[in-house]
Amino acid sequence: MSAELGSPLTLGLSIKQHRSQSPLLKSSHFSAFSLSKTSPLFNSSLFISKNVTRPSFRVFCCQTGLETAVQAGQDRLLKVPTSNIRNFSIIAHIDHGKSTLADKLLQMTGTVQKRDMKEQFLDNMDLERERGITIKLQAARMRWVIENEPYCLNLIDTPGHVDFSYEVSRSLAACEGALLVVDASQGVEAQTLANVYLALENNLEIIPVLNKIDLPGAEPDRVIQEIEEVVGLDCSNAILCSAKEGIGINEILNAIVERIPPPSNTAGCPLRALIFDSYYDPYRGVVVYFRVVDGTIKKGDRVYFMASEKDYFVDEIGVLSPNQLQVKELQAGEVGYLSASIRSVADARVGDTITHFGKKADIQLPGYEEVTPMVFCGLFPVDADQFPELRDALEKLQLNDAALKFEPETSSAMGFGFRCGFLGLLHMEIVQERLEREYNLSLITTAPSVVYRVNCINGDTVECSNPSLLPEPGQRRSIEEPFVKIEMLTPKDYIGSLMELSQDRRGKFMEMKFITENRASLTYELPLAEMVGDFFDQLKSRSKGYASMEYTFIGYRESVLIKLDISINGDLVEPLATIVHKDKAYAIGRALTQKLKELIPRQMFKVPIQACIGSKVIASEALSAIRKDVLAKCYGGDITRKKKLLKKQAEGKKRMKAIGKVDVPQEAFMAVLKLEKEVL
């Protein structure tokens, strides 16, 4: 019987003939041999080559370097010597390709399969993906083989924004090296510098990486010169790469192994592990991410948190790769997670040291601080019935975010709400957006304010974040406000405009230096209260988006500050009170009274709207009364008749004004709050 090529019999024979020759052809790959000519697989070149006259089977398949890496990636839980462990972080300015590079490293090492891969893999929140920023810190364990020697690479992906600089500093303390990623077209930006200085403080080995070299506007030579001049790093062995196109990724992985030092082998010492992140899981309690610095930690150990002075039994221990994979123990140099039925994130704070309860370490790891909120604002539900839902939502968010503080607040205008404290403006925006998106709440937010320190005559110091809590003028000796040091990097064309902006915001000029021929660095010291409004928006609009900024808190300083009250028809409106600098009081008072005049509906009597400092009125507007035309029926006659009618009307208006109340509508409050954000 002659078998026609492509018939079920021929296909079966050809597979049998070649199975013994090719190790790739396992029986499990070809379970059914009854393919007919009509089968869609029959015509595929993967299975059959048509241009042959004898029964044959050809497999077009070759094992690439990526597939080898994928196989190595499956073995990433296998132990390696401490000398083969590398802990590193990626530091970069916003939108310089940090998350894209992390994705490519995960893919190249086979840590994440191609079918599971998605852009910004380590950014879990929708908010992070939409904005293109990293908010929540992530970690991933990878395996990379060089000359048949396996290495364990622990990537700790950090947020880049200044609001989270404490978390970034603790993450960098958990590493021995860092990749400094700089956009080959944009060059060094403000946050690049800030993060590099943090890395240098922690004595990290820094590997410069120039990303996006595939772009038409890339200027690697100029950017390399800029890094050498501004940062002072030797860029003779800088790596040129394109994370999007996959160029230079192998070189980066090899450089991590060759140039970043391994951790010290201190497995025999008492346990000390540094917490660099934690989050709340509704089923397991708080899950802690940590780096073992000294000693060994096993499942079932009783551990002690040295700063919070709490102890727990470890229920589960494992590594992040990037999903959680359980292991029995972790040794010095390794990065992992643990869960121990911890009820509150505040018990496992970032920067705390974990040690054994029975054999405690003598000293805890350096650098621990309790983060304190810097910016405050009021959050009120638009619908008063949503107050319980807002409280529950804030409590749930606080489980994951120990830096978020809130306390109940009552406003005569907006009802019940909360006074919330945040690390900075981005942190505030993220919390507001998550409340609205994840918990379906409609919120009104008051203008952001800062914490003032009031030195009283009796020697007490009162911290005040709300104007209504400010002591009376007779009890105050002085008021101090927080100051920040701000560094702006800008093209030279916009230096004048940014200097003008900083001077308007009570900034004190410190220094200006040209970092390259066309770019300058401006350093100012200015009050945080002047920066929490629209400073960043103004910076971007005045520099057409080219300038970038970075700020650090430098302490409290005494200023001439006063409380500006708004009075409507003689009654003080507490929600509109603000703490302002004396020099700006008139301009802000004038702007607020004019805006309120437009927004408050006219009454049957005259309504004065006044901005006051204590009892002194500094700006005033008046809403004229709605008048009935009482002279309409007089079409002639004596003037005394008209005067009598007008006098009678004036007496009625006077009596009405004495007992009348002015209701300020919600829209007016919202508009004034928006104005406050602009003018403060």
Side-chain angles (χ1 to χ4, degrees):
M1 182 180 75
S2 63
E4 184 187 344
L5 176 62
S7 69
L9 175 62
T10 312
L11 185 56
L13 285 170
S14 62
I15 288 172
K16 282 178 184 174
Q17 286 171 9
H18 285 44
R19 186 184 291 152
S20 59
Q21 299 168 19
S22 174
L24 289 168
L25 298 180
K26 305 291 182 190
S27 58
S28 61
H29 294 162
F30 305 97
S31 56
F33 298 136
S34 56
L35 292 176
S36 65
K37 287 181 182 178
T38 56
S39 167
L41 289 175
F42 176 76
N43 292 323
S44 170
S45 60
L46 177 67
F47 282 97
I48 295 176
S49 173
K50 293 182 179 178
N51 302 322
V52 288
T53 54
R54 58 188 177 80
S56 68
F57 184 91
R58 192 177 302 166
V59 177
F60 297 100
C61 175
C62 62
Q63 198 166 26
T64 63
L66 183 58
E67 287 167 349
T68 312
V70 169
Q71 286 181 1
Q74 310 306 316
D75 304 327
R76 57 190 180 275
L77 285 182
L78 298 179
K79 290 283 181 188
V80 297
T82 309
S83 58
N84 286 11
I85 295 175
R86 302 288 184 272
N87 297 318
F88 72 100
S89 183
I90 303 176
I91 52 179
H93 188 76
I94 293 167
D95 206 29
H96 278 206
K98 179 158 64 85
S99 294
T100 313
L101 179 58
D103 290 350
K104 220 61 178 184
L105 294 177
L106 292 174
Q107 200 174 338
M108 188 59 79
T109 54
T111 308
V112 178
Q113 301 300 318
K114 195 170 183 180
R115 64 175 176 271
D116 300 326
M117 199 65 203
K118 56 187 177 183
E119 286 187 11
Q120 291 173 261
F121 188 87
L122 292 176
D123 293 345
N124 296 330
M125 286 195 282
D126 293 338
L127 205 56
E128 291 179 308
R129 294 174 170 283
E130 285 171 21
R131 290 185 170 220
I133 56 173
T134 302
I135 298 166
K136 195 73 179 147
L137 195 143
Q138 296 292 334
R141 176 175 173 137
M142 302 176 284
R143 189 178 176 89
W144 184 244
V145 179
I146 298 180
E147 296 173 359
N148 296 325
E149 184 76 20
Y151 289 87
C152 171
L153 312 181
N154 290 312
L155 161 64
I156 299 175
D157 186 33
T158 58
H161 199 272
V162 63
D163 285 5
F164 310 109
S165 58
Y166 173 66
E167 283 86 340
V168 175
S169 73
R170 295 304 84 217
S171 307
L172 293 176
C175 301
E176 279 80 34
L179 298 178
L180 170 62
V181 179
V182 181
D183 189 322
S185 56
Q186 292 182 5
V188 175
E189 298 282 355
Q191 273 170 245
T192 315
L193 279 177
N195 290 332
V196 165
Y197 295 147
L198 274 177
L200 291 172
E201 280 173 26
N202 287 290
N203 297 319
L204 267 58
E205 178 66 36
I206 297 174
I207 301 173
V209 175
L210 266 65
N211 194 16
K212 306 189 185 182
I213 57 160
D214 57 314
L215 291 180
E219 299 175 273
D221 295 337
R222 174 184 68 81
V223 174
I224 283 174
Q225 185 185 349
E226 206 170 278
I227 296 171
E228 287 182 338
E229 289 177 3
V230 179
V231 185
L233 283 177
D234 177 20
C235 291
S236 55
N237 51 4
I239 300 167
L240 306 183
C241 85
S242 167
K244 194 171 184 181
E245 300 298 328
I247 302 164
I249 305 300
N250 274 337
E251 287 85 343
I252 291 172
L253 287 162
N254 292 339
I256 290 167
V257 169
E258 290 160 12
R259 288 155 64 177
I260 292 177
S264 308
N265 188 357
T266 53
C269 300
L271 172 67
R272 286 197 307 169
L274 175 70
I275 299 174
F276 60 82
D277 197 21
S278 60
Y279 74 92
Y280 185 81
D281 183 285
Y283 301 104
R284 296 183 293 171
V286 177
V287 177
V288 177
Y289 292 178
F290 63 93
R291 145 85 192 269
V292 185
V293 179
D294 303 321
T296 305
I297 185 168
K298 297 186 178 79
K299 183 179 176 179
D301 284 355
R302 188 178 182 186
V303 293
Y304 179 74
F305 294 84
M306 295 180 80
S308 60
E309 300 181 346
K310 300 285 173 71
D311 62 281
Y312 300 94
F313 286 97
V314 177
D315 299 331
E316 184 186 323
I317 198 167
V319 296
L320 299 142
S321 191
N323 301 322
Q324 294 176 359
L325 303 170
Q326 290 191 40
V327 296
K328 290 179 181 173
E329 69 167 21
L330 289 171
Q331 295 179 340
E334 292 189 286
V335 173
Y337 75 92
L338 69 80
S339 74
S341 304
I342 304 167
R343 289 200 178 97
S344 168
V345 175
D347 293 346
R349 288 184 178 273
V350 172
D352 200 350
T353 304
I354 305 171
T355 187
H356 281 131
F357 185 78
K359 190 184 177 185
K360 293 183 180 132
D362 296 332
I363 51 169
Q364 69 181 74
L365 295 162
Y368 173 74
E369 291 172 21
E370 283 207 19
V371 287
T372 52
M374 296 297 295
V375 176
F376 285 79
C377 83
L379 290 178
F380 296 89
V382 171
D383 180 2
D385 295 340
Q386 285 191 323
F387 176 75
E389 286 96 320
L390 175 59
R391 184 182 55 227
D392 294 344
L394 282 167
E395 283 171 356
K396 284 176 184 171
L397 278 184
Q398 198 178 38
L399 288 173
N400 267 330
D401 190 349
L404 173 65
K405 301 276 193 297
F406 63 91
E407 58 186 28
E409 182 182 35
T410 311
S411 161
S412 57
M414 289 168 281
F416 294 101
F418 291 94
R419 189 86 183 159
C420 302
F422 309 94
L423 293 172
L425 289 175
L426 179 73
H427 188 212
M428 183 175 83
E429 273 181 53
I430 290 162
V431 169
Q432 284 172 214
E433 204 157 331
R434 285 186 69 186
L435 285 169
E436 289 175 352
R437 186 180 295 198
E438 295 173 24
Y439 300 96
N440 204 22
L441 296 167
S442 300
L443 299 173
I444 302 167
T445 60
T446 62
S449 64
V450 297
V451 183
Y452 296 96
R453 263 189 207 155
V454 184
N455 299 315
C456 300
I457 291 171
N458 61 5
D460 293 346
T461 300
V462 180
E463 292 206 335
C464 169
S465 63
N466 194 339
S468 61
L469 302 175
L470 198 68
E472 290 300 314
Q475 298 172 9
R476 304 195 298 253
R477 192 175 75 246
S478 63
I479 303 178
E480 296 176 4
E481 62 178 333
F483 268 70
V484 291
K485 179 184 175 186
I486 182 167
E487 184 174 9
M488 297 172 280
L489 292 189
T490 173
K492 63 180 183 182
D493 301 350
Y494 310 113
I495 291 171
S497 182
L498 295 188
M499 287 179 102
E500 183 189 3
L501 171 66
S502 304
Q503 303 283 7
D504 288 347
R505 301 301 173 96
R506 296 194 283 134
K508 181 185 175 187
F509 176 73
M510 300 306 290
E511 78 171 322
M512 180 179 85
K513 56 185 179 187
F514 277 84
I515 51 178
T516 64
E517 194 179 321
N518 295 314
R519 296 182 77 209
S521 162
L522 293 171
T523 307
Y524 273 85
E525 288 180 359
L526 79 161
L528 180 61
E530 296 286 345
M531 217 195 71
V532 296
D534 63 340
F535 186 88
F536 184 71
D537 296 342
Q538 285 288 331
L539 175 99
K540 285 293 181 188
S541 60
R542 289 185 184 217
S543 66
K544 298 181 182 171
Y546 285 108
S548 58
M549 62 170 258
E550 188 68 34
Y551 67 90
T552 48
F553 173 65
I554 53 173
Y556 277 81
R557 293 184 187 171
E558 196 173 307
S559 295
V560 186
L561 299 169
I562 43 136
K563 181 183 175 186
L564 180 68
D565 288 309
I566 299 293
S567 157
I568 298 175
N569 197 31
D571 297 327
L572 293 179
V573 185
E574 203 60 59
L576 297 180
T578 51
I579 298 173
V580 296
H581 193 268
K582 194 175 181 181
D583 296 345
K584 289 196 159 193
Y586 174 73
I588 293 169
R590 169 64 59 205
L592 289 176
T593 51
Q594 286 176 345
K595 192 72 177 174
L596 282 167
K597 184 182 178 182
E598 294 170 21
L599 296 166
I600 296 173
R602 285 172 70 192
Q603 309 293 316
M604 295 299 289
F605 50 90
K606 186 179 177 182
V607 179
I609 303 166
Q610 298 167 324
C612 321
I613 300 170
S615 57
K616 181 186 175 186
V617 177
I618 59 164
S620 180
E621 294 285 340
L623 271 177
S624 55
I626 300 173
R627 254 180 92 244
K628 181 183 174 185
D629 188 3
V630 291
L631 303 182
K633 58 187 178 185
C634 301
Y635 47 90
D638 190 35
I639 189 70
T640 53
R641 175 70 180 153
K642 292 182 181 179
K643 282 184 175 178
K644 183 183 172 186
L645 290 171
L646 288 170
K647 188 178 177 184
K648 187 179 175 185
Q649 185 187 39
E651 283 171 1
K653 298 280 183 195
K654 191 176 179 182
R655 192 166 59 250
M656 201 184 288
K657 183 177 180 179
I659 59 169
K661 277 183 71 71
V662 180
D663 287 328
V664 182
Q666 189 87 29
E667 296 76 33
F669 273 106
M670 292 182 70
V672 171
L673 290 173
K674 190 177 177 187
L675 179 74
E676 278 186 357
K677 290 174 189 177
E678 291 168 6
V679 298
L680 286 180

